[in-house]
Amino acid sequence: MLGMTLYIKNSLEAVELYQEALGLTLGEEYVKFPDGTYMHAPMYRNGQFLFAVCESTNEALVRTVKETASQNIMPIASHGLDFDTVEEVEKAFELLSKEGVVIRPLGKLPWDTISTDLVDKFGVCWYLMKE
């Protein structure tokens, strides 16, 4: 399966967080490294593949992304997710913003009921919204 892969330090923790915060499920076809971390952890939402998580050892990259975001500079890319309810967006925001950096707080935009931009503690930038 080809698609976007998030290279993350602490992949086991990341998969658990994304399952809870984003309502994702881990695909049965996951593969682990000998140390138990994920080599390929496909994440699904409503039966559709969204991205895979893979263990990374590059902690410097996470620091750089978070430092840049704390200066209100958007990273190169963000991963957008549209939710069905405002409550789902609020839950995702609450969980993903812990130890992360909020670039734009929860609020309304002309095209969204509610949305936010943030970088989670793993250095992944998210655009969370409810149209």
Side-chain angles (χ1 to χ4, degrees):
M1 171 180 318
L2 294 177
M4 181 173 53
T5 300
L6 306 179
Y7 292 90
I8 293 175
K9 179 72 176 154
N10 298 320
S11 60
L12 295 171
E13 183 183 353
V15 165
E16 287 181 17
L17 176 63
Y18 298 154
Q19 286 176 307
E20 183 180 359
L22 305 173
L24 305 182
T25 57
L26 174 63
E28 294 177 8
E29 66 276 22
Y30 68 84
V31 178
K32 289 189 172 183
F33 287 111
D35 67 0
T37 60
Y38 287 108
M39 177 187 295
H40 179 75
M43 305 299 295
Y44 292 84
R45 185 171 183 212
N46 300 325
Q48 294 206 310
F49 174 77
L50 286 184
F51 57 82
V53 173
C54 179
E55 185 69 21
S56 172
T57 58
N58 190 347
E59 292 184 47
L61 180 60
V62 174
R63 278 194 309 275
T64 301
V65 171
K66 287 172 76 174
E67 287 170 8
T68 302
S70 68
Q71 298 170 28
N72 285 330
I73 300 171
M74 290 292 292
I76 291 173
S78 67
H79 310 291
L81 286 178
D82 187 6
F83 291 85
D84 294 328
T85 68
V86 169
E87 293 77 22
E88 289 175 318
V89 176
E90 291 171 340
K91 177 183 178 182
F93 173 79
E94 178 185 335
L95 294 171
L96 293 177
S97 65
K98 288 180 185 172
E99 299 180 53
V101 177
V102 175
I103 298 169
R104 185 178 52 81
L106 279 173
K108 183 172 177 39
L109 291 174
W111 51 87
D112 295 330
T113 301
I114 189 170
S115 64
T116 184
D117 291 289
L118 63 92
V119 175
D120 70 21
K121 68 182 182 178
F122 304 108
V124 178
C125 185
W126 297 98
Y127 174 68
L128 309 174
M129 64 177 269
K130 160 73 177 96
E131 285 188 283

